Amino acid sequence: MTNYAIDDRLARRNSIILAGAQSFAGAMPTIVVAMGGLVGYYLLGADKSLATVPVSSYVFGTAAMIYPAAFLMKRLGRKLGFLIGAFGSSLAGLLSCFAILQGSFWLFCFGTFLSGAGQAFVAQYRFAAADTASEAFRPKAISWVMVGGILAGIIGPQTSILTKDLFEPVLFAGAFLGQAVLGLVGVLFLLFLQVPDQTKEIQQQGGRPLVEIVSQFRFIVAASCAAVTYALMSFVMTATPLAMIACNHSQEDATLAIQWHVLGMFGPSFFTGSLIQKFGKEKIVVLGLFMLAGCSTVALMGIEVANFWIALILLGVGWNFAFIGATTMLTDCYHPSERAKTQATNDFLVFGTVTIASFSSGGILNAFGWEKLNWVMFPPVVLCLLLLMLQAYKKRTAIV
């Protein structure tokens, strides 16, 4: 074990810096999610069925960049990769702002796609914190980074609210100028990051074949729980602003719903790592999955603002528990020399699934309505619970 993983001083320092970067770089997606569907609705003509495509383009951009981002950072280092991602997201915000001013729907979709590509680097923040941490501190390192999302949950929506009318009478363009500024602030935090270079031995070793790694049942369970959790979160979150507008709620209520959702996503990170240490990764994932089911249960009970807000808070907290737990489960599946390809494969599966969920969200909402959309949540949750039960059974029988 390396010295920096023994005392965890570097891991603690990096986790705090990455949490700061997450506060601003992680605030950019909340702008895309809160405003993307509304911008699509604003830019399109009579047919509004493609209104959620800008948000889906963002998710697709993340999925498309997962492998290139991971291997670029393996070659150039985490720090330079993170700087490229944050700066690129800032430029994407400027392009999105310009697209809205020009009234170009598809150029706006390209801007959100580039924003998503930048977020592929941000998605690796949690792994960067875990890389230098001891096994005992690893859940907390991941959780600490996610704490930055609390500020992101405030900064992103408030930036949207305060700047969306900056170029009035053209709506929403100012919010994406705000996105560009947030990306630059994230760059400032990342300049202080210290990530040790990998040893030549680790760089040269390929480790086990990727097929062997992903064939492990524990990898299948971890990746499945992470992918389903993130996909369901995106599925509901993408549709919520449009559903709220359709139910005659205001844009401010819809934006604040996203804010409460993001606070739910990252607020529990103060103690999620400690809960994982105390109760185990799998139990926290199970708790998170039940909360995701609770989200849809509340949503099916009514269409008042309170129903939307409570549902999205449950969606966020459930995502936090299940996703952090699944991420920690994944770190048990690979050796240091296998880190880049395993993490990249996991995130490709996660964001590939999220892309499908996000693209289908608007169509299902438009065709079947908010109630039917929420019923879709239950079968994937049950599937993940069955996988976790099977893993527990296999573990018990192996011990016996």
Coordinates of all heavy atoms in Angstrom, one line a residue, residues 69-157:
A69 N -12.6 10.3 -22.0 CA -12.1 11.0 -20.8 C -11.3 10.2 -19.9 O -10.2 10.6 -19.4 CB -13.4 11.5 -20.0
A70 N -11.7 8.9 -19.6 CA -10.9 8.0 -18.8 C -9.5 7.8 -19.3 O -8.5 7.8 -18.6 CB -11.7 6.7 -18.6
F71 N -9.4 7.5 -20.6 CA -8.1 7.1 -21.1 C -7.3 8.4 -21.4 O -6.0 8.3 -21.4 CB -8.3 6.3 -22.4 CG -8.7 4.9 -22.1 CD1 -10.1 4.5 -22.2 CD2 -7.8 3.9 -21.6 CE1 -10.5 3.2 -21.8 CE2 -8.2 2.7 -21.2 CZ -9.6 2.3 -21.4
L72 N -7.9 9.5 -21.6 CA -7.1 10.8 -21.7 C -6.5 11.1 -20.4 O -5.3 11.5 -20.3 CB -8.1 11.9 -22.1 CG -7.4 13.3 -22.3 CD1 -6.4 13.3 -23.5 CD2 -8.4 14.4 -22.5
M73 N -7.2 10.9 -19.3 CA -6.7 11.1 -17.9 C -5.6 10.1 -17.6 O -4.7 10.4 -16.8 CB -7.8 11.2 -16.9 CG -8.6 12.4 -17.0 SD -9.8 12.6 -15.7 CE -11.1 11.4 -16.1
K74 N -5.8 8.9 -18.1 CA -4.7 7.9 -17.8 C -3.4 8.3 -18.5 O -2.3 8.1 -17.9 CB -5.2 6.5 -18.4 CG -4.2 5.4 -18.1 CD -4.7 4.0 -18.6 CE -3.7 2.9 -18.3 NZ -4.1 1.6 -18.8
R75 N -3.5 9.0 -19.6 CA -2.3 9.4 -20.3 C -1.8 10.7 -19.8 O -0.6 10.9 -19.7 CB -2.7 9.5 -21.8 CG -1.4 9.7 -22.7 CD -1.8 9.5 -24.2 NE -0.6 9.5 -25.0 CZ 0.1 8.5 -25.3 NH1 -0.2 7.3 -24.8 NH2 1.1 8.5 -26.1
L76 N -2.7 11.7 -19.6 CA -2.3 13.0 -19.2 C -2.4 13.3 -17.7 O -1.8 14.3 -17.3 CB -3.1 14.1 -20.0 CG -3.1 14.0 -21.5 CD1 -4.0 15.1 -22.1 CD2 -1.7 14.1 -22.0
G77 N -3.1 12.5 -17.0 CA -3.2 12.7 -15.6 C -4.6 13.2 -15.2 O -5.3 13.8 -16.1
R78 N -5.1 12.9 -14.0 CA -6.4 13.4 -13.6 C -6.5 14.9 -13.6 O -7.5 15.4 -14.1 CB -6.6 12.9 -12.1 CG -6.7 11.4 -12.0 CD -8.1 10.9 -12.2 NE -8.4 9.6 -11.6 CZ -9.4 8.8 -11.9 NH1 -10.2 9.2 -12.8 NH2 -9.5 7.6 -11.3
K79 N -5.5 15.6 -13.1 CA -5.7 17.0 -12.9 C -5.9 17.7 -14.3 O -6.8 18.5 -14.4 CB -4.4 17.6 -12.2 CG -4.5 19.1 -12.0 CD -3.3 19.6 -11.2 CE -3.3 21.1 -11.0 NZ -2.2 21.6 -10.1
L80 N -5.0 17.4 -15.3 CA -5.2 18.1 -16.6 C -6.5 17.7 -17.2 O -7.2 18.5 -17.8 CB -4.0 17.7 -17.5 CG -4.0 18.4 -18.9 CD1 -4.0 19.9 -18.7 CD2 -2.7 17.9 -19.6
G81 N -6.9 16.4 -17.1 CA -8.2 16.0 -17.6 C -9.3 16.8 -17.0 O -10.3 17.2 -17.7
F82 N -9.3 16.9 -15.7 CA -10.4 17.7 -15.0 C -10.4 19.1 -15.5 O -11.5 19.7 -15.6 CB -10.2 17.6 -13.5 CG -10.4 16.2 -12.9 CD1 -9.9 15.9 -11.7 CD2 -11.2 15.3 -13.6 CE1 -10.2 14.6 -11.1 CE2 -11.5 14.1 -13.0 CZ -10.9 13.7 -11.8
L83 N -9.2 19.7 -15.6 CA -9.2 21.1 -16.1 C -9.8 21.3 -17.5 O -10.5 22.2 -17.8 CB -7.7 21.6 -16.1 CG -7.1 21.9 -14.7 CD1 -5.6 22.1 -14.8 CD2 -7.8 23.1 -14.0
I84 N -9.4 20.3 -18.4 CA -10.0 20.3 -19.7 C -11.5 20.2 -19.7 O -12.2 20.9 -20.4 CB -9.4 19.1 -20.6 CG1 -7.9 19.4 -20.9 CG2 -10.2 19.0 -21.9 CD1 -7.2 18.2 -21.5
G85 N -12.0 19.3 -18.8 CA -13.5 19.1 -18.7 C -14.2 20.4 -18.2 O -15.2 20.7 -18.8
A86 N -13.7 21.0 -17.2 CA -14.3 22.2 -16.6 C -14.3 23.4 -17.6 O -15.3 24.1 -17.8 CB -13.7 22.6 -15.3
F87 N -13.1 23.6 -18.3 CA -13.0 24.6 -19.2 C -13.9 24.4 -20.5 O -14.5 25.3 -21.0 CB -11.6 24.8 -19.7 CG -11.3 26.0 -20.5 CD1 -11.4 27.3 -20.0 CD2 -11.0 25.9 -21.8 CE1 -11.2 28.4 -20.7 CE2 -10.8 27.0 -22.6 CZ -10.9 28.3 -22.1
G88 N -14.0 23.1 -20.9 CA -14.8 22.8 -22.0 C -16.3 23.0 -21.7 O -17.0 23.5 -22.6
S89 N -16.7 22.7 -20.5 CA -18.1 22.9 -20.1 C -18.4 24.4 -20.1 O -19.5 24.8 -20.4 CB -18.4 22.3 -18.8 OG -18.3 20.9 -18.8
S90 N -17.4 25.2 -19.7 CA -17.6 26.7 -19.8 C -17.8 27.2 -21.2 O -18.8 27.9 -21.4 CB -16.4 27.4 -19.1 OG -16.6 28.7 -19.1
L91 N -17.0 26.7 -22.1 CA -17.2 27.1 -23.5 C -18.6 26.6 -24.1 O -19.2 27.3 -24.9 CB -16.1 26.5 -24.4 CG -14.7 27.1 -24.1 CD1 -13.6 26.4 -25.0 CD2 -14.6 28.6 -24.3
A92 N -19.0 25.4 -23.6 CA -20.3 24.8 -24.0 C -21.4 25.7 -23.6 O -22.4 25.9 -24.3 CB -20.5 23.4 -23.5
G93 N -21.3 26.3 -22.4 CA -22.3 27.2 -21.9 C -22.4 28.5 -22.8 O -23.5 28.9 -23.1
L94 N -21.3 29.0 -23.2 CA -21.3 30.1 -24.1 C -22.0 29.8 -25.5 O -22.8 30.6 -26.0 CB -19.9 30.6 -24.4 CG -19.1 31.3 -23.2 CD1 -17.7 31.6 -23.7 CD2 -19.9 32.5 -22.8
L95 N -21.7 28.6 -26.0 CA -22.3 28.1 -27.2 C -23.8 28.0 -27.1 O -24.6 28.4 -27.9 CB -21.7 26.8 -27.7 CG -22.3 26.2 -29.0 CD1 -22.1 27.2 -30.1 CD2 -21.7 24.9 -29.3
S96 N -24.3 27.4 -25.9 CA -25.7 27.3 -25.7 C -26.4 28.6 -25.6 O -27.5 28.8 -26.1 CB -25.9 26.5 -24.4 OG -25.4 25.2 -24.5
C97 N -25.7 29.6 -24.9 CA -26.3 30.9 -24.8 C -26.4 31.6 -26.2 O -27.5 32.1 -26.6 CB -25.3 31.8 -24.0 SG -25.8 33.5 -23.9
F98 N -25.4 31.4 -27.0 CA -25.4 31.9 -28.4 C -26.5 31.3 -29.2 O -27.3 32.0 -30.0 CB -24.1 31.7 -29.1 CG -24.0 32.1 -30.5 CD1 -24.0 33.4 -30.9 CD2 -24.1 31.2 -31.5 CE1 -23.9 33.8 -32.2 CE2 -24.0 31.5 -32.9 CZ -24.0 32.9 -33.2
A99 N -26.7 30.0 -29.1 CA -27.8 29.2 -29.8 C -29.2 29.7 -29.5 O -30.0 29.9 -30.4 CB -27.7 27.7 -29.5
I100 N -29.4 30.0 -28.2 CA -30.7 30.5 -27.8 C -30.9 31.9 -28.4 O -32.0 32.2 -28.9 CB -30.8 30.6 -26.3 CG1 -30.7 29.2 -25.7 CG2 -32.2 31.2 -25.8 CD1 -30.6 29.1 -24.2
L101 N -29.9 32.8 -28.4 CA -30.0 34.1 -28.9 C -30.3 34.1 -30.4 O -31.0 34.9 -31.0 CB -28.7 34.9 -28.7 CG -28.5 35.3 -27.2 CD1 -27.1 35.9 -27.0 CD2 -29.6 36.2 -26.7
Q102 N -29.8 33.0 -31.1 CA -30.0 32.9 -32.5 C -31.3 32.1 -32.8 O -31.7 32.0 -34.0 CB -28.8 32.1 -33.1 CG -27.5 32.9 -33.1 CD -27.6 34.2 -33.9 OE1 -28.0 34.2 -35.0 NE2 -27.2 35.3 -33.2
G103 N -31.9 31.6 -31.8 CA -33.2 30.8 -32.0 C -32.9 29.5 -32.6 O -33.8 28.9 -33.3
S104 N -31.8 28.9 -32.5 CA -31.4 27.6 -33.1 C -31.6 26.4 -32.1 O -30.7 26.2 -31.2 CB -30.0 27.6 -33.7 OG -29.6 26.4 -34.2
F105 N -32.6 25.6 -32.3 CA -32.8 24.5 -31.4 C -31.7 23.5 -31.5 O -31.2 23.0 -30.5 CB -34.2 23.8 -31.8 CG -34.5 22.5 -31.1 CD1 -34.9 22.6 -29.8 CD2 -34.3 21.3 -31.7 CE1 -35.2 21.4 -29.1 CE2 -34.6 20.1 -31.0 CZ -35.0 20.2 -29.7
W106 N -31.3 23.1 -32.7 CA -30.3 22.0 -32.9 C -28.9 22.5 -32.5 O -28.1 21.7 -32.0 CB -30.3 21.5 -34.3 CG -31.6 20.8 -34.6 CD1 -32.6 21.2 -35.5 CD2 -32.0 19.5 -34.0 NE1 -33.6 20.2 -35.5 CE2 -33.3 19.2 -34.6 CE3 -31.4 18.7 -33.1 CZ2 -34.0 18.1 -34.2 CZ3 -32.2 17.5 -32.7 CH2 -33.4 17.3 -33.3
L107 N -28.6 23.8 -32.7 CA -27.3 24.3 -32.2 C -27.3 24.3 -30.6 O -26.3 23.9 -30.0 CB -27.0 25.7 -32.7 CG -25.7 26.3 -32.3 CD1 -24.5 25.5 -32.8 CD2 -25.6 27.7 -32.8
F108 N -28.4 24.5 -30.1 CA -28.6 24.5 -28.6 C -28.4 23.0 -28.1 O -27.7 22.8 -27.1 CB -29.9 25.0 -28.2 CG -30.2 24.9 -26.7 CD1 -29.4 25.6 -25.8 CD2 -31.1 24.0 -26.2 CE1 -29.7 25.5 -24.4 CE2 -31.4 23.9 -24.8 CZ -30.6 24.6 -23.9
C109 N -28.9 22.1 -28.8 CA -28.7 20.6 -28.5 C -27.3 20.3 -28.6 O -26.8 19.5 -27.7 CB -29.6 19.8 -29.4 SG -31.3 19.8 -29.2
F110 N -26.6 20.8 -29.6 CA -25.1 20.5 -29.7 C -24.4 21.2 -28.5 O -23.4 20.6 -28.0 CB -24.6 21.1 -31.0 CG -23.1 20.8 -31.2 CD1 -22.6 19.5 -31.3 CD2 -22.2 21.9 -31.3 CE1 -21.3 19.3 -31.5 CE2 -20.9 21.6 -31.5 CZ -20.4 20.3 -31.6
G111 N -24.8 22.3 -28.1 CA -24.2 23.0 -26.9 C -24.4 22.1 -25.6 O -23.5 22.0 -24.8
T112 N -25.6 21.6 -25.4 CA -25.8 20.8 -24.3 C -25.1 19.4 -24.4 O -24.6 18.9 -23.4 CB -27.3 20.5 -24.0 OG1 -27.9 19.8 -25.2 CG2 -28.1 21.8 -23.8
F113 N -24.9 18.9 -25.6 CA -24.1 17.7 -25.8 C -22.7 17.9 -25.3 O -22.1 17.1 -24.6 CB -24.1 17.3 -27.3 CG -23.1 16.3 -27.7 CD1 -23.5 14.9 -27.5 CD2 -21.9 16.6 -28.2 CE1 -22.6 13.9 -27.9 CE2 -21.0 15.6 -28.5 CZ -21.3 14.2 -28.3
L114 N -22.1 19.1 -25.7 CA -20.7 19.4 -25.3 C -20.7 19.6 -23.8 O -19.7 19.3 -23.1 CB -20.2 20.7 -26.0 CG -20.0 20.5 -27.5 CD1 -19.6 21.9 -28.1 CD2 -19.0 19.4 -27.8
S115 N -21.7 20.2 -23.2 CA -21.8 20.3 -21.7 C -21.7 18.9 -21.1 O -21.0 18.7 -20.1 CB -23.1 21.0 -21.3 OG -23.1 22.4 -21.7
G116 N -22.5 18.0 -21.7 CA -22.4 16.6 -21.2 C -21.1 16.0 -21.3 O -20.6 15.3 -20.4
A117 N -20.4 16.3 -22.4 CA -19.0 15.7 -22.6 C -18.1 16.2 -21.5 O -17.3 15.5 -21.0 CB -18.5 16.1 -24.0
G118 N -18.2 17.5 -21.1 CA -17.4 18.0 -20.1 C -17.7 17.3 -18.7 O -16.8 17.1 -17.9
Q119 N -19.0 17.0 -18.5 CA -19.4 16.3 -17.3 C -18.8 14.9 -17.2 O -18.8 14.3 -16.1 CB -20.9 16.4 -17.1 CG -21.4 17.7 -16.8 CD -20.9 18.3 -15.5 OE1 -21.0 17.7 -14.4 NE2 -20.4 19.5 -15.5
A120 N -18.4 14.3 -18.3 CA -17.8 13.0 -18.2 C -16.5 13.0 -17.3 O -16.2 12.0 -16.7 CB -17.5 12.5 -19.6
F121 N -15.9 14.2 -17.3 CA -14.7 14.4 -16.5 C -15.1 14.6 -15.0 O -14.5 14.0 -14.1 CB -13.9 15.6 -17.0 CG -13.2 15.4 -18.3 CD1 -13.9 15.7 -19.5 CD2 -11.9 14.8 -18.4 CE1 -13.3 15.6 -20.7 CE2 -11.3 14.6 -19.7 CZ -12.0 15.0 -20.8
V122 N -16.2 15.3 -14.8 CA -16.7 15.6 -13.5 C -17.1 14.3 -12.8 O -17.0 14.1 -11.6 CB -17.8 16.6 -13.5 CG1 -18.4 16.8 -12.1 CG2 -17.4 17.9 -14.1
A123 N -17.7 13.3 -13.6 CA -18.1 12.1 -13.1 C -17.0 11.2 -12.5 O -17.2 10.3 -11.7 CB -18.8 11.3 -14.2
Q124 N -15.7 11.6 -12.9 CA -14.6 10.9 -12.4 C -14.1 11.4 -11.1 O -13.1 10.9 -10.5 CB -13.5 10.9 -13.4 CG -13.8 10.1 -14.7 CD -13.6 8.6 -14.5 OE1 -12.7 8.1 -13.9 NE2 -14.6 7.8 -15.0
Y125 N -14.6 12.6 -10.6 CA -14.1 13.2 -9.3 C -14.2 12.2 -8.2 O -13.3 12.1 -7.4 CB -15.0 14.4 -9.0 CG -14.8 15.6 -9.8 CD1 -13.9 15.7 -10.8 CD2 -15.5 16.8 -9.4 CE1 -13.8 16.8 -11.6 CE2 -15.3 18.0 -10.2 CZ -14.5 18.0 -11.2 OH -14.3 19.1 -12.0
R126 N -15.3 11.4 -8.1 CA -15.4 10.5 -7.0 C -14.4 9.4 -7.0 O -13.9 8.9 -6.0 CB -16.9 9.9 -7.0 CG -17.1 8.9 -8.2 CD -18.6 8.6 -8.3 NE -19.0 7.5 -9.1 CZ -19.0 7.5 -10.4 NH1 -18.7 8.6 -11.1 NH2 -19.3 6.4 -11.1
F127 N -14.0 8.9 -8.2 CA -13.0 7.9 -8.3 C -11.6 8.5 -8.0 O -10.7 7.8 -7.4 CB -12.9 7.3 -9.8 CG -14.1 6.4 -10.1 CD1 -14.8 6.6 -11.2 CD2 -14.5 5.4 -9.2 CE1 -15.9 5.8 -11.5 CE2 -15.5 4.6 -9.5 CZ -16.3 4.8 -10.6
A128 N -11.3 9.8 -8.4 CA -10.1 10.4 -8.1 C -9.9 10.5 -6.6 O -8.7 10.3 -6.1 CB -10.0 11.8 -8.7
A129 N -10.9 10.8 -5.8 CA -10.8 10.8 -4.4 C -10.5 9.4 -3.8 O -9.7 9.3 -2.9 CB -12.1 11.4 -3.8
A130 N -11.1 8.4 -4.4 CA -10.9 7.0 -3.9 C -9.6 6.5 -4.2 O -9.0 5.7 -3.5 CB -12.0 6.1 -4.5
D131 N -9.0 7.0 -5.3 CA -7.7 6.4 -5.8 C -6.6 6.5 -4.8 O -5.7 5.7 -4.7 CB -7.2 7.2 -7.1 CG -8.0 6.8 -8.3 OD1 -8.8 5.8 -8.2 OD2 -7.9 7.5 -9.3
T132 N -6.5 7.6 -4.0 CA -5.5 7.8 -3.0 C -5.9 7.5 -1.6 O -5.1 7.8 -0.7 CB -5.0 9.3 -3.1 OG1 -6.1 10.2 -2.8 CG2 -4.3 9.6 -4.4
A133 N -7.1 6.9 -1.4 CA -7.6 6.7 -0.1 C -7.4 5.2 0.3 O -7.3 4.3 -0.5 CB -9.1 7.0 0.0
S134 N -7.2 5.0 1.6 CA -7.2 3.6 2.1 C -8.5 3.0 2.0 O -9.5 3.6 1.8 CB -6.7 3.6 3.6 OG -7.8 4.3 4.4
E135 N -8.6 1.7 2.1 CA -9.8 0.9 2.0 C -10.9 1.4 3.0 O -12.0 1.6 2.7 CB -9.6 -0.6 2.1 CG -10.9 -1.4 1.9 CD -10.6 -2.9 2.0 OE1 -9.4 -3.3 2.1 OE2 -11.6 -3.6 1.9
A136 N -10.4 1.7 4.2 CA -11.3 2.2 5.3 C -11.9 3.6 5.0 O -13.0 3.8 5.3 CB -10.6 2.2 6.6
F137 N -11.0 4.4 4.4 CA -11.5 5.8 4.2 C -12.2 6.0 2.9 O -12.9 7.0 2.7 CB -10.3 6.8 4.3 CG -10.6 8.2 4.1 CD1 -11.4 8.9 5.1 CD2 -10.2 8.9 3.0 CE1 -11.7 10.2 5.0 CE2 -10.5 10.3 2.9 CZ -11.3 10.9 3.9
R138 N -12.1 5.0 2.0 CA -12.6 5.1 0.6 C -14.1 5.6 0.6 O -14.5 6.5 -0.2 CB -12.4 3.9 -0.1 CG -12.4 4.0 -1.6 CD -12.0 2.7 -2.3 NE -10.6 2.4 -2.0 CZ -10.1 1.2 -2.0 NH1 -10.9 0.2 -2.2 NH2 -8.8 1.1 -1.7
P139 N -15.0 4.9 1.3 CA -16.4 5.4 1.3 C -16.6 6.8 1.7 O -17.4 7.6 1.1 CB -17.1 4.4 2.2 CG -16.3 3.3 2.4 CD -14.9 3.8 2.2
K140 N -15.8 7.3 2.7 CA -15.9 8.7 3.1 C -15.4 9.6 2.0 O -15.9 10.7 1.8 CB -15.2 8.9 4.4 CG -16.0 8.3 5.6 CD -15.3 8.7 6.9 CE -16.2 8.3 8.1 NZ -15.6 8.7 9.4
A141 N -14.3 9.2 1.4 CA -13.6 10.0 0.4 C -14.6 10.3 -0.8 O -14.8 11.4 -1.2 CB -12.4 9.4 -0.2
I142 N -15.3 9.2 -1.2 CA -16.3 9.3 -2.3 C -17.5 10.2 -1.8 O -17.9 11.1 -2.5 CB -16.9 8.0 -2.7 CG1 -15.7 7.1 -3.3 CG2 -18.0 8.1 -3.6 CD1 -16.1 5.7 -3.5
S143 N -17.9 10.0 -0.5 CA -19.0 10.8 0.0 C -18.7 12.2 0.2 O -19.5 13.1 -0.1 CB -19.4 10.1 1.4 OG -20.6 10.7 1.8
W144 N -17.4 12.5 0.6 CA -17.0 13.9 0.8 C -17.1 14.7 -0.5 O -17.5 15.8 -0.5 CB -15.6 14.0 1.3 CG -15.5 13.7 2.8 CD1 -16.4 13.1 3.6 CD2 -14.3 13.9 3.6 NE1 -15.9 12.9 4.9 CE2 -14.6 13.5 4.9 CE3 -13.1 14.5 3.4 CZ2 -13.8 13.6 6.0 CZ3 -12.2 14.6 4.5 CH2 -12.5 14.1 5.8
V145 N -16.6 14.1 -1.6 CA -16.7 14.7 -2.9 C -18.1 15.1 -3.3 O -18.5 16.2 -3.8 CB -16.1 13.9 -4.0 CG1 -16.3 14.5 -5.4 CG2 -14.6 13.7 -3.7
M146 N -19.0 14.1 -3.0 CA -20.4 14.3 -3.3 C -21.1 15.4 -2.5 O -22.1 16.0 -2.9 CB -21.2 13.0 -3.1 CG -20.6 11.8 -3.9 SD -20.6 12.0 -5.7 CE -22.2 11.4 -6.1
V147 N -20.5 15.8 -1.3 CA -21.0 16.9 -0.5 C -21.0 18.2 -1.3 O -21.9 19.0 -1.1 CB -20.1 17.0 0.8 CG1 -20.4 18.3 1.5 CG2 -20.4 15.9 1.8
G148 N -20.0 18.3 -2.2 CA -20.0 19.5 -3.0 C -21.3 19.8 -3.8 O -21.6 20.9 -4.2
G149 N -22.0 18.7 -4.0 CA -23.3 18.8 -4.7 C -24.3 19.6 -4.0 O -25.3 20.1 -4.5
I150 N -24.1 19.7 -2.6 CA -25.1 20.5 -1.8 C -25.1 22.0 -2.3 O -26.1 22.6 -2.6 CB -24.8 20.4 -0.3 CG1 -24.9 19.0 0.1 CG2 -25.7 21.3 0.5 CD1 -24.4 18.8 1.6
L151 N -23.9 22.5 -2.4 CA -23.7 23.9 -2.9 C -24.1 23.9 -4.4 O -24.8 24.9 -4.8 CB -22.3 24.4 -2.7 CG -21.9 24.8 -1.3 CD1 -20.4 25.2 -1.3 CD2 -22.8 25.9 -0.8
A152 N -23.8 22.9 -5.1 CA -24.2 22.9 -6.5 C -25.7 22.9 -6.7 O -26.3 23.6 -7.6 CB -23.7 21.6 -7.2
G153 N -26.4 22.3 -5.7 CA -27.9 22.3 -5.7 C -28.5 23.6 -5.5 O -29.6 23.9 -5.8
I154 N -27.7 24.5 -4.8 CA -28.2 25.9 -4.6 C -27.7 26.8 -5.7 O -28.4 27.6 -6.2 CB -27.7 26.4 -3.2 CG1 -28.2 25.5 -2.1 CG2 -28.0 27.8 -3.0 CD1 -27.6 25.8 -0.7
I155 N -26.4 26.7 -6.0 CA -25.7 27.6 -7.0 C -26.4 27.5 -8.4 O -26.7 28.5 -9.0 CB -24.2 27.3 -7.0 CG1 -23.6 27.7 -5.7 CG2 -23.6 28.1 -8.2 CD1 -22.1 27.3 -5.6
G156 N -26.6 26.3 -8.8 CA -27.1 26.1 -10.2 C -28.5 26.7 -10.4 O -28.7 27.5 -11.2
P157 N -29.5 26.2 -9.6 CA -30.8 26.8 -9.8 C -30.9 28.3 -9.5 O -31.6 29.0 -10.2 CB -31.7 26.0 -8.7 CG -30.9 24.7 -8.6 CD -29.5 25.0 -8.7

